[in-house]
Every structure is written in C-alpha cells, then in structure tokens.
Amino acid sequence: MEHSLHTIILEIHNKEDKISSQSKRLIDEAYEMTLYLQDLLFEIKKQVIEEGFKNDEEEVQFFRTIKPQILGKLIYYNKVYRIETTCPVSTGKMYYRYFANQLATLKRDYVEHLCNSDFYRYYRSGRTDRDHSYFKRGNINYHDGLNSIVFEIDPEFSTFYDYKTARIISNELLYSYLLTKINPEENPDLILQKPENSKDIFWTESKNALIELAYALYTSASISHGKIGIRKISLMFQILFGITLGDLHHAFHRMKTRAGSRTAFLDQLKTSLEEYMDKDL
C-alpha cells in the first residue's frame, strides 16, 4: 500500500483547508468533502483489491488506522450535511433546540451502540493483542450477534471492526461540531461550561490570536498526531478559556488575506520567547 496514515491525514487536511479558504457555507463544505472522501475511499478500495497487502501487519495497520480515518470523516461530513440541510432556522430558541436534540440523539447512539461494547473498551485502551482478529479480513464471528450491517459489507475491503472504528471517529467529530453550534454563553448548563478548577484561567489576547494558535497546532499535527480536526482543537480552547470563537473557517480565511504578517500572533510568540531567553544570557 502506498498510502500511509500521515499521508492520508495530510491529504484530507489539505482538501479541508482548500475548501474552507473559498469561504463556502458549511453545507457546501460538507457536501464537497463527502464527494471527495467517497472518491478517495473508492480509489483506495480499488488499490487494495488489485494489489493486496505485503503482509498481515500491513493489512492490520490499514484496517485499524487508514481506512477508518477516511470512512469516519465521510460518515461525519455526510451527517453534517444532513443536519445542516434540515435545520429549521439560523438563530433563536428553535435553532438551539434543534442542535440540542441532535446532540442528545448522538449521546444516545453512543451509549446504545458504542461505549458498552467490548470492542470500544479494547480500542480506547490502546490494546493491540486482538488486532489480528478485529482487523484482518475473513475473521468475522457471527456468533457475536453483530449488527446487521455486517451482511452488507464487502469482505474484500472490510473487517466490520474497521467500520466500528470509523463510527467512533465520526461520533467524536460530530460531538465537537454539535457543541460548537450551541452558544455556551446563551446556554450555560451545557458541557461547554468552564471547568470549576480553571476559573482563574482566561484568554487575554484577541480571539483571532487564539484561532491562529489553534490552526498552527492543527496544521503541524502537534496534537494526537494530527488525528483530530480543527473544530475539536478549538473546542478544547473554548472549554479551557470559557470563550466562544465563532466561525473558524471565515476567521482563518481573513487571516490568509490580511495585510502584513499572516501569522502576527505566532511571530509575537517567537519574539517574546527569544527575548525571555536572552534575559538569562
């Protein structure tokens, strides 16, 4: 297989950035990413079926990490498109209730189909001792009472558990997306409340500065080896600092086209650190 996990993540990130830089609506972005990821998955499926794998380890690596990243994002963007196209209004109480209901549905699905399963605990713990059972083709155990989707998968390109892994990835992305759609300042009872033990921690620079920092960490794959998206990184900052960052993509697009340095805050950080270092000389 010529595709590595790093290459796949980089390709997807580049496509996301290219689409978001065109100042498209989230509906359009989700639609284009759905088409792109569907084509990417089809291309890799063709390669897998035609060329196969060099050894068992390569096969396990593909179905544990590479395919779920593509399929997970595909499930995510397709769901975002469906949610956005059926949203009744753009603001107000009805808007909040709509996304709050979507969040409740996601949590219910998580409890019923993911978190209570042996596989979920296995995957979350980082174990690898059963990888050859979970992520090699032809090892489906029908005695486990698997979901009926197992009868619809392509045995040449699926292990069933790569789909379960993709669902875990997509659910995490959807969770972050739905939380950012609900304004924490208007709805303080939500999980976006600032943690009690961090009340004295607050952001004193501009929101654009924080967005610039978030994108720097995202594009450099500095957090979780680049496996989480910009929305989740921004959500962590929003929770930590009790701040609402708004539309990330539009803010990023404005940064790309602003006069002077496009990385003003990062330049300032570098200068401040170097000055601090020079004090000890």
Side-chain angles (χ1 to χ4, degrees), residues 188-213:
D189 292 334
L190 290 177
I191 205 168
L192 268 176
Q193 290 183 92
K194 195 172 182 179
E196 191 63 37
N197 60 359
S198 64
K199 295 295 184 184
D200 58 338
I201 300 174
F202 49 93
W203 185 253
T204 52
E205 261 287 356
S206 68
K207 289 185 179 183
N208 280 341
L210 189 55
I211 292 173
E212 188 179 320
L213 177 61

Side-chain angles (χ1 to χ4, degrees), residues 50-64:
E50 290 179 354
E51 301 176 14
F53 299 101
K54 296 176 185 176
N55 49 48
D56 288 351
E57 283 66 33
E58 187 179 67
E59 180 177 354
V60 167
Q61 171 73 1
F62 175 79
F63 287 111
R64 181 183 173 104

Side-chain angles (χ1 to χ4, degrees), residues 37-52:
L37 291 164
Q38 190 175 35
D39 288 343
L40 179 60
L41 195 63
F42 179 79
E43 171 196 327
I44 292 180
K45 175 180 179 179
K46 183 179 178 183
Q47 184 181 339
V48 165
I49 292 175
E50 290 179 354
E51 301 176 14

Side-chain angles (χ1 to χ4, degrees), residues 17-259:
D17 289 342
K18 182 178 179 181
I19 292 175
S20 66
S21 69
Q22 297 168 351
S23 298
K24 294 179 179 291
R25 298 177 305 161
L26 184 55
I27 291 176
D28 300 323
E29 179 184 340
Y31 178 72
E32 288 195 30
M33 283 303 301
T34 298
L35 295 181
Y36 164 75
L37 291 164
Q38 190 175 35
D39 288 343
L40 179 60
L41 195 63
F42 179 79
E43 171 196 327
I44 292 180
K45 175 180 179 179
K46 183 179 178 183
Q47 184 181 339
V48 165
I49 292 175
E50 290 179 354
E51 301 176 14
F53 299 101
K54 296 176 185 176
N55 49 48
D56 288 351
E57 283 66 33
E58 187 179 67
E59 180 177 354
V60 167
Q61 171 73 1
F62 175 79
F63 287 111
R64 181 183 173 104
T65 62
I66 297 176
K67 184 188 171 187
Q69 280 294 325
I70 305 171
L71 183 57
K73 285 247 178 176
L74 176 57
I75 294 170
Y76 162 70
Y77 277 112
N78 183 56
K79 183 64 176 178
V80 168
Y81 179 76
R82 290 166 56 193
I83 291 173
E84 291 286 335
T85 51
T86 55
C87 183
V89 288
S90 58
T91 56
K93 291 183 178 179
M94 187 180 293
Y95 174 91
Y96 161 69
R97 282 199 301 270
Y98 174 77
F99 283 102
N101 288 336
Q102 292 289 338
L103 185 59
T105 300
L106 182 69
K107 288 180 178 179
R108 189 163 55 248
D109 179 69
Y110 164 78
V111 170
E112 292 177 1
H113 301 292
L114 288 178
C115 72
N116 292 323
S117 68
D118 291 337
F119 174 74
Y120 183 83
R121 289 187 286 272
Y122 171 87
Y123 179 76
R124 274 281 167 244
S125 68
R127 287 168 52 191
T128 58
D129 52 290
R130 296 191 63 186
D131 275 5
H132 279 67
S133 296
Y134 286 135
F135 300 110
K136 270 185 58 62
R137 293 167 296 179
N139 287 343
I140 296 175
N141 183 0
Y142 294 94
H143 293 292
D144 288 343
L146 301 173
N147 190 292
S148 59
I149 195 172
V150 73
F151 302 111
E152 302 173 21
I153 64 175
D154 184 345
E156 291 188 90
F157 191 61
S158 297
T159 68
F160 178 66
Y161 287 99
D162 65 75
Y163 170 76
K164 298 285 283 186
T165 304
R167 282 287 305 279
I168 293 170
I169 292 170
S170 68
N171 272 36
E172 290 182 348
L173 292 170
L174 284 167
Y175 185 68
S176 299
Y177 153 72
L178 290 171
L179 283 179
T180 57
K181 296 294 284 188
I182 303 171
N183 190 335
E185 293 175 351
E186 294 181 4
N187 307 288
D189 292 334
L190 290 177
I191 205 168
L192 268 176
Q193 290 183 92
K194 195 172 182 179
E196 191 63 37
N197 60 359
S198 64
K199 295 295 184 184
D200 58 338
I201 300 174
F202 49 93
W203 185 253
T204 52
E205 261 287 356
S206 68
K207 289 185 179 183
N208 280 341
L210 189 55
I211 292 173
E212 188 179 320
L213 177 61
Y215 265 99
L217 294 171
Y218 163 66
T219 55
S220 62
S222 299
I223 299 177
S224 300
H225 302 291
K227 293 180 182 179
I228 64 174
I230 183 60
R231 287 191 178 91
K232 190 164 188 178
I233 293 173
S234 72
L235 177 64
M236 292 189 300
F237 282 138
Q238 290 179 80
I239 294 173
L240 176 62
F241 296 122
I243 188 174
T244 307
L245 293 179
D247 193 324
L248 299 173
H249 290 323
H250 282 117
F252 180 66
H253 180 65
R254 288 194 297 271
M255 288 178 199
K256 291 175 67 175
T257 57
R258 68 189 175 191

